Amino acid sequence: LQADVMIVVGYGQIIPQSIIDLPRFGILNVHASLLPKYRGAAPIQWAIANGETRTGVTIMQIDAGLDTGDMLVKGETEIGPDETAPELSVRLAQQGAALLIDALKQVEAGAARHEKQDDAVSSYAPILKKEDGMIHWDRTAAEIYNRFRGFTPWPGAYTVFRGQTLQLLGMKPAAERSANAPGTVQAEKGRLLVVCGG
């Protein structure tokens, strides 16, 4: 096609150099994190699961590594305290589209500023696995809630109760304290509470 540029979003594969070299301006990636943090397949989910309060979108130049290329444009946003991965995804998609247009204009005008990533402060956001949704009650309530928000809708949040897998569809950290062991279920004032670590 003799394309001038190629764009990838959420592709999740390493692109071979033979493909990278095809378009005149290479390949740009709309990546849903503030690189070099959260390189990899699930940056939105892991940012929320790890309790981050800020994230954003980076338009980067694809190279042969995993989200390791030069950064062209960045935009930041806050993560709401109750925001889930699907909710944040919608906002970042809109932000990413606007940033991509800016980056393409800069590339076309020969004015793009290429910023190298600092590998020393990079982190990785691996593809989610079913077991990531398993609740470990020895984690703090905030950690469990963050993972619930980040892993909605898949793999979700689940536990084993009386020998059966129980999927949790809603939760919120509670202020009550308990001396009981993590995982202990308590019913109080019309609420079902589960003791967490910390």
Side-chain angles (χ1 to χ4, degrees):
L1 296 175
Q2 297 181 326
D4 291 317
V5 66
M6 290 170 62
I7 309 297
V8 294
V9 183
Y11 184 58
Q13 303 286 328
I14 293 181
I15 298 173
Q17 194 66 47
S18 59
I19 303 296
I20 294 170
D21 292 339
L22 287 176
R24 181 162 60 111
F25 295 119
I27 304 175
L28 301 186
N29 178 22
V30 183
H31 187 77
S33 82
L34 298 173
L35 289 171
K37 290 185 83 171
Y38 297 108
R39 295 172 175 171
I44 296 171
Q45 293 87 343
W46 284 108
I48 294 174
N50 289 337
E52 300 282 357
T53 58
R54 296 194 66 74
T55 189
V57 175
T58 304
I59 310 298
M60 58 161 289
Q61 188 88 44
I62 289 282
D63 65 10
L66 179 64
D67 300 325
T68 56
D70 289 354
M71 302 175 291
L72 305 182
V73 181
K74 275 186 179 182
E76 288 191 39
T77 189
E78 289 187 11
I79 301 173
D82 298 311
E83 195 166 24
T84 63
E87 293 165 343
L88 181 57
S89 294
V90 169
R91 292 198 304 111
L92 292 180
Q94 294 166 347
Q95 183 181 33
L99 290 172
L100 176 61
I101 291 169
D102 290 344
L104 287 170
K105 287 177 180 175
Q106 291 175 24
V107 167
E108 186 177 33
R113 293 183 304 278
H114 291 250
E115 180 186 348
K116 297 281 184 204
Q117 294 189 43
D118 183 354
D119 292 338
V121 296
S122 69
S123 60
Y124 181 57
I127 194 164
L128 295 174
K129 303 182 295 294
K130 177 66 177 169
E131 53 265 30
D132 290 323
M134 178 71 176
I135 297 172
H136 297 276
W137 296 107
D138 54 343
R139 290 186 169 121
T140 68
E143 289 170 333
I144 291 169
Y145 183 56
N146 289 339
R147 290 175 73 92
F148 166 76
R149 294 186 304 121
F151 301 157
T152 295
W154 193 89
Y158 64 92
T159 189
V160 175
F161 183 71
R162 296 181 179 168
Q164 299 290 315
T165 300
L166 177 67
Q167 194 79 29
L168 289 114
L169 304 179
M171 67 172 68
K172 190 89 172 162
E176 286 84 353
R177 298 281 178 190
S178 174
N180 290 324
T184 303
V185 179
Q186 302 172 187
E188 287 183 18
K189 301 175 186 172
R191 294 181 304 155
L192 192 62
L193 302 177
V194 182
V195 179
C196 303

